[in-house]
Amino acid sequence: MSHNGSDLPRGRKAAAGGTRSPRRTMRRRLPQALAAGLVLVTLSGCTYKDFPRLGMPSPATEEAPRILSLWQGSWAAALAVGVIVWGLILWSVIFHRRSRTKIEVPAQIRYNLPIEALYTVVPLIVVAVFFYFTARDESKLLETSEKPDHVVNIVGYQWSWGFNYLEDVDGDAATPAKRPKELAAIPDRDYEAVPKGAEGVYDYGVPASEDEDTGNPGPTLVLPKGETVQFVLTSRDVIHSFWVVPFLMKQDVIPGHTNVFEVTPNKEGTFMGKCAELCGADHSRMLFNVKVVSPEEYQQHLQELAAKGQTGSIPAGIPQTDAARNAETNQQ
């Protein structure tokens, strides 16, 4: 028996009863952390069909795949940059650790031209590539037709939405004789796409509105499948943002300024929409639905609104200021 009252050597007793080294503890916990991360990824709810979209919903318009492609490319570039950064971190941790070199203070180098060139040139290239693809796709997405199949004035107000369907519902191109005063806030250049004789019909909602078929909160905008729809966005009060989630496209609705974009829905169904700009106390209730139906059902919906007496238009919003109107005209 040893002098300390134990029949084990002192070193073995220390190893058996003492605390484990931080390195051994880390080695034991690393597989557990990796396993936990794998479980989290597995239980995230994504199927193999959803994973390539990287969190985006399934596109519901002909324009949406372009947005999805830009999103996927951005993620691919970010992942490539991340791999490089993680690789450099791991390389420096493994090959420049003190226990490997047995040196307390490593050699001090003032600069390294290859590395400095790398972290200067590579970010410039990445930003330039991002800018090119973003500018290319944004220009394409904001193109509008001179004569789209349909024009809908989207009106944002605290805290719901109104929809002016600018259509020739009665089939008489002579009515109305002039533009309704409710649409005076829309500049001439954005009103040119409206067909002649478009007396129009409208629908609107309040925060307590619900879709009759689904019970989803908010008013319902009906659109025809396979036909081009041009949205003219106007606001009555503050800045809102019109976002139909599966369209993968949103745009601000600004008082005193008109935004326009176009989509061609290619999938029937009811989709959720919301305001994507904090606009006041009831912003969270500023929801709406988009129901994509056949062209025949769309025309039937217009007739139903007319039968309810909802002909004409609701006020579009705040008139655009002359300064903004002139500035945008000069840019065209």
Side-chain angles (χ1 to χ4, degrees):
M1 181 178 288
S2 61
H3 69 276
N4 60 1
S6 172
D7 56 355
L8 292 174
R10 182 179 299 179
R12 290 181 63 186
K13 182 178 180 181
T19 59
R20 292 188 177 89
S21 66
R23 183 176 298 177
R24 290 185 62 189
T25 303
M26 182 179 69
R27 287 176 180 173
R28 288 191 61 189
R29 292 181 177 176
L30 181 60
Q32 298 173 358
L34 293 176
L38 181 61
V39 170
L40 288 175
V41 172
T42 306
L43 297 179
S44 62
C46 294
T47 66
Y48 73 96
K49 294 181 179 180
D50 296 330
F51 184 75
R53 296 199 302 271
L54 300 171
M56 282 285 196
S58 179
T61 68
E62 292 182 4
E63 295 77 14
R66 178 180 292 273
I67 303 174
L68 179 60
S69 176
L70 182 63
W71 172 258
Q72 292 169 322
S74 301
W75 267 99
L79 182 60
V81 172
V83 168
I84 293 173
V85 173
W86 297 331
L88 291 174
I89 291 174
L90 292 174
W91 177 76
S92 63
V93 167
I94 294 172
F95 293 101
H96 292 280
R97 65 189 188 277
R98 189 178 66 179
S99 62
R100 181 175 180 269
T101 60
K102 308 299 183 182
I103 299 175
E104 184 70 26
V105 179
Q108 303 299 298
I109 300 175
R110 294 181 59 187
Y111 51 84
N112 186 306
L113 287 179
I115 291 180
E116 291 184 8
L118 177 71
Y119 68 61
T120 301
V121 174
V122 171
L124 289 175
I125 295 174
V126 171
V127 172
V129 171
F130 271 132
F131 177 82
Y132 167 75
F133 285 104
T134 302
R136 182 199 67 179
D137 291 343
E138 182 181 2
S139 300
K140 191 68 177 179
L141 290 167
L142 294 180
E143 285 183 359
T144 55
S145 308
E146 292 185 3
K147 295 297 180 182
D149 297 323
H150 309 279
V151 180
V152 181
N153 172 215
I154 306 295
V155 184
Y157 51 87
Q158 295 175 315
W159 282 278
S160 194
W161 301 89
F163 312 119
N164 288 324
Y165 298 89
L166 306 182
E167 304 272 4
D168 183 10
V169 180
D170 64 2
D172 185 356
T175 59
K178 59 181 181 179
R179 184 196 306 192
K181 63 180 181 179
E182 289 83 4
L183 303 178
I186 301 176
D188 294 341
R189 69 175 189 281
D190 296 327
Y191 198 80
E192 291 175 355
V194 177
K196 292 183 179 180
E199 72 284 350
V201 291
Y202 66 86
D203 200 1
Y204 65 94
V206 296
S209 298
E210 290 185 353
D211 181 82
E212 296 179 355
D213 297 330
T214 64
N216 294 336
T220 299
L221 171 66
V222 178
L223 300 176
K225 177 185 175 182
E227 298 184 352
T228 304
V229 181
Q230 187 173 117
F231 295 124
V232 180
L233 310 176
T234 56
S235 171
R236 293 184 188 174
D237 35 54
V238 299
I239 297 178
H240 304 282
S241 186
F242 180 73
W243 182 22
V244 184
V245 180
F247 288 7
L248 310 188
M249 175 78 176
K250 60 182 176 182
Q251 199 166 53
D252 282 351
V253 185
I254 304 173
H257 175 84
T258 304
N259 280 329
V260 179
F261 74 96
E262 231 171 67
V263 299
T264 305
N266 59 6
K267 184 185 296 185
E268 291 190 17
T270 300
F271 309 108
M272 302 296 292
K274 61 183 71 177
C275 176
E277 186 81 27
L278 182 60
C279 58
D282 278 344
H283 162 71
S284 62
R285 301 181 67 191
M286 198 166 170
L287 307 172
F288 64 97
N289 306 280
V290 173
K291 185 177 295 184
V292 179
V293 299
S294 67
E296 294 76 19
E297 291 178 279
Y298 174 75
Q299 294 297 330
Q300 181 181 350
H301 177 70
L302 299 182
Q303 297 298 331
E304 290 173 355
L305 291 177
K308 293 179 182 178
Q310 295 175 209
T311 56
S313 306
I314 61 174
I318 299 174
Q320 185 162 306
T321 60
D322 289 337
R325 187 192 302 265
N326 293 337
E328 294 181 7
T329 301
N330 291 337
Q331 291 176 359
Q332 291 182 345

